[in-house]
Amino acid sequence: MHSGRGHWASRVGFVLAAAGSAIGLGNIWKFPYITGEYGGGAFVLVYLGCIAVVGMPIMLAELLLGKLSQRDPVGAFRELEHSRSGWQLVGWLGVASAFVILSFYSVVAGWALAFFARSVMGVIAAGADPAMIGGLFSELYANPTEQIVWHAIFMGVTIAIVSGGVHKGIERWSDILMPALLMMLLGLFIYALTLDAARDGARFLFAADFSKLTPDAVLEALGHSFFTLSLGMGAMITYGSYLGRDANLVRAGTWIVILDTVIALLAGMVIFPIVFQFGMEPGAGPGLIFKTLPLAFIQMTGGQLVACVFFLLLSFAALTSAISLLEVAVAFFHDEVGLDRKVAAGGIGGIIFLLGVPSALYGSFFDFMDQISTNYMLPIGGLGIAIYTGWVLDRARAEGGLGPGVSAGLIAAWLQVLRFVTPVLVLIVFLHKIGVF
Ligand code: PFF
């Protein structure tokens, strides 16, 4: 164990921080729109299956590698293999993914901040001109300076929190941001339940029409289960590395996965009733949040307040995820290179900010960064983590590491799934994404 290394102060603090990493733009921005595109209920069902068969086993594997090694993702493999084995490459890929993902993630988070500001200033408010509201996003998108300013503000806040350290920065802020996020989402959910279209929203989300379920939808569900749980790039290895020996990973992992899933479904149960209530289309693609929803907000009484709450919630969700992305890189430079945490957070955060600038300027660069990370880096990383944990890691350590009180049957089942089921499924998605079939 490394002396002076930060640790979580409480179990709840850890679960909130890790759930904060998982719950992000993926849940509130992406999940509803891909569900809309792939037709609703049947997609949701497949997504839940993927979370259970692929997400949960890899979540446990990542937390385990972190807890056993007490190191960053690169150091974790070196520590566990007692040498510079090739498995370290999986860790390197994870650190690289953190740079790539955070660079464009922060640009989208900047959009959320920009829309929050427009809501506070009363631009998005009941009675506004629909033509103007419909054009808000294109206007922002065509204004690189404004996008870069919000991107800089968002990265600045992320850097400030990560600089504070595991306990005083990440955990303390997760303890504040996550309950606030939950309260705001519950408030919006209760509002959505009062709408006449609440039933239509629920039907859309939960009534399974399997004729709409294409192979593409299945693969999208599997890919998304990775992104939404922050898997495949060592974020959960890093967070797991700040756990003590007595942590029960099954209990913590179950909480993280349940919170992430419930929040995604709640977001859908907020967004779809609103979309249907005001006569709009659910499958509106990425514009669902920044174009369709504002058009609904201006038609409702109290629309300004609802808009403020919604975009603040989106910003908080993005922030706790961005914190974990930056922490992966900071942990690496702190543990492996010996950089001071504050210097690492500021320096790396600055580089990631610069890396994000082209994403704010050119949509094609943004798409490239998104595709390369989601389609290549995360699946390859996840495959590496599953194979390493299932086949290479010392069996006794794998079995003993999940925590006290975990039944032998559960451990055996987990290892079998991790060895045989998870890698095959991930490989299929990966090959499909790169166009092999
Ligand atoms: N899980 C986050 C989301 O759903 O928005 C995205 C993410 C965060 C991916 C952290 C990977 C990561 F390490």
Side-chain angles (χ1 to χ4, degrees):
M1 203 172 278
H2 291 251
S3 57
R5 205 163 184 281
H7 275 85
W8 307 108
S10 80
R11 254 181 240 168
V12 175
F14 162 68
V15 168
L16 287 180
S21 169
I23 298 163
L25 297 168
N27 301 61
I28 296 164
W29 178 51
K30 194 158 184 208
F31 173 76
Y33 90 70
I34 52 178
T35 301
E37 274 173 1
Y38 291 110
F43 176 81
V44 173
L45 215 59
V46 174
Y47 165 78
L48 294 178
C50 294
I51 295 279
V53 181
V54 178
M56 188 68 197
I58 297 187
M59 172 68 72
L60 292 180
E62 288 207 23
L63 292 176
L64 177 74
L65 298 182
K67 177 181 148 180
L68 289 177
S69 67
Q70 300 282 303
R71 295 295 287 267
D72 66 286
V74 175
F77 288 98
R78 181 182 307 159
E79 188 80 15
L80 294 168
E81 286 302 290
H82 305 294
S83 69
R84 294 179 173 273
S85 83
W87 287 104
Q88 270 181 73
L89 286 174
V90 177
W92 280 103
L93 188 68
V95 176
S97 310
F99 278 82
V100 173
I101 297 178
L102 185 51
S103 74
F104 70 84
Y105 202 82
S106 171
V107 172
V108 181
W111 299 343
L113 288 178
F115 271 67
F116 174 63
R118 281 162 174 69
S119 309
V120 171
M121 291 183 314
V123 177
I124 304 175
D129 172 23
M132 183 274 287
I133 292 292
L136 272 186
F137 184 69
S138 328
E139 203 184 284
L140 174 66
Y141 200 66
N143 183 345
T145 315
E146 194 192 339
Q147 285 189 72
I148 290 168
V149 169
W150 289 117
H151 165 49
I153 292 173
F154 183 80
M155 277 308 299
V157 175
T158 308
I159 291 168
I161 293 177
V162 171
S163 297
V166 177
H167 170 47
K168 291 202 175 122
I170 302 175
E171 184 173 357
R172 198 176 59 166
W173 279 98
S174 302
D175 281 349
I176 298 169
L177 294 168
M178 293 310 290
L181 182 150
L182 278 170
M183 295 304 291
M184 288 191 279
L185 192 59
L186 279 178
L188 291 178
F189 175 59
I190 291 168
Y191 167 78
L193 285 184
T194 67
L195 299 174
D196 295 335
R199 199 176 290 261
D200 301 328
R203 194 175 304 126
F204 181 75
L205 208 49
F206 298 112
D209 173 0
F210 283 94
S211 69
K212 289 195 183 137
L213 203 65
T214 59
D216 257 3
V218 178
L219 296 165
E220 182 78 35
L222 194 47
H224 185 64
S225 66
F226 249 83
F227 186 81
T228 190
L229 291 172
S230 306
L231 299 175
M233 52 154 289
M236 293 299 164
I237 296 181
T238 308
Y239 275 16
S241 77
Y242 304 125
L243 284 169
R245 283 189 198 294
D246 57 341
N248 181 327
L249 302 184
V250 175
R251 193 181 307 151
T254 306
W255 268 110
I256 299 164
V257 170
I258 287 179
L259 280 170
D260 185 75
T261 308
V262 168
I263 298 279
L265 294 174
L266 271 179
M269 268 309 293
V270 166
I271 290 169
F272 292 123
I274 292 180
V275 166
F276 289 127
Q277 180 81 13
F278 298 99
M280 279 171 292
E281 283 296 314
L288 180 62
I289 295 270
F290 294 111
K291 288 184 186 162
T292 312
L293 274 188
L295 282 170
F297 292 149
I298 61 170
Q299 295 180 60
M300 49 172 87
T301 24
Q304 183 181 0
L305 179 66
V306 178
C308 287
V309 173
F310 182 82
F311 289 114
L312 188 63
L313 157 85
L314 191 63
S315 307
F316 280 10
L319 182 58
T320 50
S321 296
I323 290 169
S324 72
L325 285 159
L326 184 57
E327 178 61 23
V328 169
V330 168
F332 168 74
F333 282 96
H334 182 67
D335 287 359
E336 304 304 308
V337 185
L339 275 189
D340 171 70
R341 166 175 284 275
K342 287 193 170 62
V343 173
I348 298 160
I351 293 171
I352 294 176
F353 164 73
L354 292 177
L355 199 62
V357 170
S359 281
L361 298 178
Y362 311 107
S364 52
F365 189 80
F366 180 107
D367 291 342
F368 170 74
M369 298 298 259
D370 179 9
Q371 304 277 320
I372 191 174
S373 53
T374 322
N375 294 353
Y376 294 83
M377 300 172 97
L378 295 187
I380 294 175
L383 196 60
I385 288 162
I387 292 174
Y388 177 79
T389 311
W391 296 91
V392 181
L393 179 67
D394 176 62
R395 196 62 182 251
R397 296 189 83 180
E399 289 175 351
L402 287 185
V406 179
S407 82
L410 192 72
I411 295 173
W414 165 68
L415 273 175
Q416 291 308 316
V417 172
L418 206 55
R419 299 181 98 189
F420 298 104
V421 184
T422 313
V424 173
L425 287 178
V426 175
L427 202 61
I428 291 174
V429 184
F430 178 62
L431 294 177
H432 174 84
K433 288 253 184 180
I434 62 174
V436 173
F437 49 79

Coordinates of all heavy atoms in Angstrom, one line a residue, residues 152-199:
A152 N -14.0 26.2 -21.3 CA -12.9 26.6 -20.4 C -13.4 26.7 -19.0 O -12.8 26.2 -18.0 CB -12.3 27.9 -20.8
I153 N -14.6 27.2 -18.8 CA -15.2 27.3 -17.5 C -15.4 25.9 -16.9 O -15.1 25.6 -15.7 CB -16.5 28.1 -17.5 CG1 -16.2 29.6 -17.9 CG2 -17.3 28.0 -16.2 CD1 -17.5 30.4 -18.1
F154 N -16.0 25.1 -17.7 CA -16.3 23.7 -17.2 C -15.0 23.0 -16.8 O -14.9 22.4 -15.8 CB -17.0 22.9 -18.3 CG -17.4 21.6 -17.8 CD1 -18.5 21.4 -17.0 CD2 -16.7 20.4 -18.2 CE1 -18.9 20.1 -16.6 CE2 -17.0 19.2 -17.8 CZ -18.1 19.0 -17.0
M155 N -13.9 23.1 -17.7 CA -12.7 22.4 -17.3 C -12.1 23.1 -16.1 O -11.5 22.3 -15.3 CB -11.7 22.5 -18.5 CG -11.8 21.5 -19.6 SD -11.9 19.8 -19.1 CE -10.3 19.6 -18.3
G156 N -12.2 24.4 -15.9 CA -11.7 25.0 -14.7 C -12.3 24.5 -13.5 O -11.6 24.2 -12.5
V157 N -13.6 24.3 -13.5 CA -14.3 23.8 -12.3 C -13.8 22.3 -12.0 O -13.6 21.9 -10.9 CB -15.8 23.8 -12.5 CG1 -16.5 23.2 -11.3 CG2 -16.3 25.3 -12.6
T158 N -13.7 21.6 -13.1 CA -13.3 20.2 -13.0 C -11.9 20.1 -12.4 O -11.6 19.3 -11.4 CB -13.3 19.5 -14.3 OG1 -14.6 19.7 -15.0 CG2 -13.0 18.0 -14.2
I159 N -11.0 20.9 -12.9 CA -9.6 20.9 -12.3 C -9.6 21.3 -10.9 O -8.9 20.7 -10.0 CB -8.8 22.0 -13.2 CG1 -8.5 21.4 -14.6 CG2 -7.4 22.2 -12.5 CD1 -8.0 22.5 -15.5
A160 N -10.4 22.3 -10.5 CA -10.4 22.8 -9.1 C -10.9 21.7 -8.2 O -10.3 21.5 -7.1 CB -11.4 24.0 -9.0
I161 N -11.9 20.9 -8.6 CA -12.4 19.8 -7.7 C -11.3 18.7 -7.6 O -11.0 18.2 -6.5 CB -13.7 19.3 -8.2 CG1 -14.8 20.5 -8.0 CG2 -14.1 18.1 -7.4 CD1 -16.2 20.1 -8.5
V162 N -10.8 18.3 -8.7 CA -9.8 17.2 -8.7 C -8.5 17.6 -7.9 O -7.9 16.8 -7.2 CB -9.5 16.7 -10.2 CG1 -8.3 15.7 -10.2 CG2 -10.7 16.1 -10.8
S163 N -8.2 18.9 -8.0 CA -7.0 19.4 -7.3 C -7.2 19.1 -5.8 O -6.2 19.0 -5.0 CB -6.8 20.9 -7.5 OG -6.5 21.1 -8.8
G164 N -8.4 19.2 -5.3 CA -8.7 19.0 -3.9 C -8.4 17.6 -3.3 O -8.3 17.4 -2.1
G165 N -8.2 16.7 -4.2 CA -7.8 15.3 -3.8 C -9.0 14.4 -3.7 O -10.2 14.8 -3.9
V166 N -8.8 13.1 -3.3 CA -9.8 12.1 -3.4 C -10.9 12.4 -2.4 O -12.1 12.5 -2.7 CB -9.2 10.7 -3.1 CG1 -10.3 9.7 -3.0 CG2 -8.2 10.4 -4.1
H167 N -10.5 12.7 -1.1 CA -11.5 12.9 -0.1 C -12.0 14.3 -0.1 O -13.2 14.6 -0.2 CB -10.9 12.5 1.3 CG -11.7 12.9 2.4 ND1 -13.1 12.7 2.5 CD2 -11.4 13.6 3.6 CE1 -13.6 13.2 3.6 NE2 -12.6 13.7 4.3
K168 N -11.1 15.3 0.0 CA -11.5 16.7 0.1 C -12.0 17.3 -1.2 O -12.7 18.4 -1.2 CB -10.3 17.5 0.7 CG -10.0 17.2 2.1 CD -9.3 18.3 2.8 CE -9.1 18.0 4.3 NZ -7.7 18.1 4.6
G169 N -11.7 16.7 -2.3 CA -12.2 17.3 -3.6 C -13.3 16.4 -4.1 O -14.5 16.8 -4.1
I170 N -13.0 15.2 -4.6 CA -13.9 14.4 -5.3 C -15.1 13.9 -4.4 O -16.3 14.1 -4.8 CB -13.2 13.2 -6.0 CG1 -12.1 13.6 -6.9 CG2 -14.2 12.3 -6.7 CD1 -11.3 12.5 -7.5
E171 N -14.7 13.4 -3.3 CA -15.8 12.8 -2.4 C -16.7 13.9 -1.9 O -17.9 13.8 -1.9 CB -15.2 12.0 -1.3 CG -16.2 11.3 -0.4 CD -15.6 10.4 0.6 OE1 -14.4 10.2 0.6 OE2 -16.4 9.8 1.4
R172 N -16.0 15.0 -1.4 CA -16.8 16.1 -0.8 C -17.8 16.7 -1.8 O -19.0 16.9 -1.5 CB -15.9 17.2 -0.3 CG -16.6 18.1 0.7 CD -15.7 19.1 1.3 NE -15.2 19.9 0.2 CZ -14.5 21.1 0.5 NH1 -14.4 21.5 1.7 NH2 -14.1 21.8 -0.5
W173 N -17.3 16.9 -3.1 CA -18.2 17.5 -4.1 C -19.3 16.5 -4.5 O -20.4 16.9 -4.9 CB -17.4 18.1 -5.2 CG -16.9 19.4 -4.8 CD1 -15.7 19.7 -4.3 CD2 -17.7 20.6 -4.8 NE1 -15.6 21.1 -4.0 CE2 -16.9 21.6 -4.2 CE3 -19.0 21.0 -5.1 CZ2 -17.3 22.9 -4.0 CZ3 -19.4 22.3 -4.9 CH2 -18.6 23.2 -4.4
S174 N -18.9 15.2 -4.6 CA -19.9 14.2 -5.0 C -21.0 14.2 -3.9 O -22.2 14.0 -4.3 CB -19.3 12.8 -5.1 OG -18.3 12.8 -6.1
D175 N -20.6 14.3 -2.7 CA -21.6 14.3 -1.6 C -22.6 15.5 -1.7 O -23.7 15.4 -1.2 CB -20.9 14.5 -0.2 CG -20.3 13.1 0.3 OD1 -20.6 12.1 -0.4 OD2 -19.6 13.1 1.2
I176 N -22.2 16.5 -2.4 CA -23.1 17.7 -2.6 C -23.9 17.5 -3.9 O -25.1 17.7 -4.0 CB -22.3 19.0 -2.6 CG1 -21.7 19.2 -1.2 CG2 -23.2 20.2 -2.9 CD1 -20.6 20.3 -1.2
L177 N -23.1 17.3 -5.0 CA -23.7 17.3 -6.3 C -24.7 16.2 -6.6 O -25.7 16.4 -7.2 CB -22.6 17.3 -7.4 CG -21.7 18.5 -7.4 CD1 -20.4 18.2 -8.3 CD2 -22.4 19.7 -8.0
M178 N -24.4 15.0 -6.1 CA -25.2 13.8 -6.4 C -26.6 13.9 -5.8 O -27.6 13.7 -6.4 CB -24.5 12.5 -6.1 CG -23.3 12.2 -7.0 SD -23.7 12.4 -8.7 CE -24.8 11.0 -9.0
P179 N -26.7 14.2 -4.5 CA -28.0 14.4 -3.9 C -28.8 15.5 -4.6 O -30.0 15.4 -4.8 CB -27.7 14.7 -2.4 CG -26.4 14.1 -2.1 CD -25.6 14.3 -3.4
A180 N -28.1 16.6 -4.9 CA -28.7 17.8 -5.6 C -29.3 17.3 -6.9 O -30.4 17.6 -7.3 CB -27.8 18.9 -5.8
L181 N -28.5 16.5 -7.7 CA -28.9 16.0 -9.0 C -30.2 15.1 -8.8 O -31.2 15.2 -9.5 CB -27.8 15.2 -9.6 CG -28.0 14.6 -11.0 CD1 -26.6 14.5 -11.7 CD2 -28.5 13.2 -10.9
L182 N -30.1 14.2 -7.8 CA -31.3 13.3 -7.5 C -32.5 14.1 -7.2 O -33.6 13.8 -7.7 CB -31.0 12.4 -6.4 CG -30.1 11.1 -6.8 CD1 -29.7 10.4 -5.5 CD2 -31.0 10.2 -7.6
M183 N -32.4 15.1 -6.4 CA -33.6 15.9 -6.0 C -34.2 16.6 -7.2 O -35.4 16.7 -7.4 CB -33.2 17.0 -5.0 CG -32.7 16.5 -3.6 SD -33.9 15.4 -2.9 CE -35.2 16.6 -2.5
M184 N -33.3 17.2 -8.0 CA -33.8 17.9 -9.2 C -34.5 17.0 -10.2 O -35.6 17.3 -10.7 CB -32.6 18.6 -9.9 CG -32.1 19.8 -9.2 SD -31.0 20.8 -10.2 CE -29.5 19.9 -10.0
L185 N -33.9 15.8 -10.3 CA -34.5 14.8 -11.3 C -35.9 14.4 -10.7 O -36.8 14.2 -11.5 CB -33.6 13.7 -11.5 CG -33.9 12.7 -12.6 CD1 -34.0 13.5 -14.0 CD2 -33.0 11.6 -12.8
L186 N -35.9 14.1 -9.4 CA -37.2 13.7 -8.8 C -38.2 14.8 -9.0 O -39.4 14.5 -9.3 CB -37.0 13.4 -7.3 CG -36.4 12.0 -7.1 CD1 -36.2 11.7 -5.6 CD2 -37.3 10.9 -7.7
G187 N -37.8 16.0 -8.8 CA -38.7 17.2 -8.9 C -39.3 17.2 -10.4 O -40.5 17.3 -10.6
L188 N -38.4 17.0 -11.3 CA -38.9 17.0 -12.7 C -39.8 15.8 -13.0 O -40.8 15.9 -13.8 CB -37.7 17.1 -13.7 CG -36.9 18.3 -13.7 CD1 -35.7 18.2 -14.7 CD2 -37.7 19.5 -14.2
F189 N -39.4 14.7 -12.4 CA -40.2 13.5 -12.6 C -41.6 13.7 -12.1 O -42.6 13.3 -12.8 CB -39.5 12.3 -11.9 CG -40.3 11.0 -11.9 CD1 -40.6 10.4 -13.1 CD2 -40.6 10.4 -10.7 CE1 -41.3 9.2 -13.1 CE2 -41.3 9.2 -10.7 CZ -41.7 8.6 -11.9
I190 N -41.7 14.3 -10.9 CA -43.1 14.5 -10.3 C -43.9 15.5 -11.2 O -45.0 15.2 -11.5 CB -43.0 15.1 -8.9 CG1 -42.4 14.0 -8.0 CG2 -44.3 15.6 -8.4 CD1 -42.0 14.5 -6.6
Y191 N -43.2 16.5 -11.8 CA -43.8 17.4 -12.7 C -44.3 16.6 -13.9 O -45.5 16.7 -14.4 CB -42.9 18.5 -13.1 CG -43.3 19.3 -14.3 CD1 -44.3 20.2 -14.2 CD2 -42.9 19.0 -15.6 CE1 -44.8 20.9 -15.3 CE2 -43.4 19.7 -16.7 CZ -44.3 20.6 -16.6 OH -44.8 21.3 -17.6
A192 N -43.4 15.7 -14.5 CA -43.8 15.0 -15.7 C -45.0 14.1 -15.4 O -45.8 13.9 -16.3 CB -42.6 14.2 -16.2
L193 N -45.1 13.6 -14.2 CA -46.2 12.7 -13.9 C -47.6 13.4 -13.9 O -48.6 12.8 -14.1 CB -46.0 12.1 -12.5 CG -45.0 11.0 -12.4 CD1 -45.0 10.4 -11.0 CD2 -45.3 9.8 -13.4
T194 N -47.5 14.7 -13.7 CA -48.8 15.5 -13.7 C -49.2 15.8 -15.1 O -50.4 16.2 -15.3 CB -48.6 16.9 -13.0 OG1 -47.7 17.7 -13.8 CG2 -48.0 16.7 -11.6
L195 N -48.4 15.5 -16.1 CA -48.8 15.8 -17.5 C -49.7 14.7 -18.0 O -49.6 13.6 -17.7 CB -47.6 15.9 -18.4 CG -46.6 17.0 -18.1 CD1 -45.3 16.9 -19.0 CD2 -47.2 18.4 -18.2
D196 N -50.7 15.1 -18.9 CA -51.6 14.1 -19.5 C -50.8 13.1 -20.3 O -51.2 11.9 -20.4 CB -52.5 14.8 -20.5 CG -53.4 15.8 -19.8 OD1 -53.7 15.6 -18.6 OD2 -53.9 16.7 -20.4
A197 N -49.6 13.5 -20.8 CA -48.9 12.5 -21.7 C -47.9 11.6 -20.9 O -47.2 10.9 -21.5 CB -48.1 13.3 -22.7
A198 N -48.0 11.7 -19.5 CA -47.2 10.8 -18.7 C -47.3 9.3 -19.1 O -46.4 8.6 -19.2 CB -47.5 11.0 -17.2
R199 N -48.6 9.0 -19.3 CA -48.9 7.6 -19.7 C -48.2 7.2 -21.1 O -47.7 6.1 -21.2 CB -50.4 7.4 -19.8 CG -50.9 6.0 -19.7 CD -52.4 6.1 -19.7 NE -52.9 6.6 -18.5 CZ -53.4 5.8 -17.5 NH1 -53.4 4.5 -17.6 NH2 -53.9 6.4 -16.4

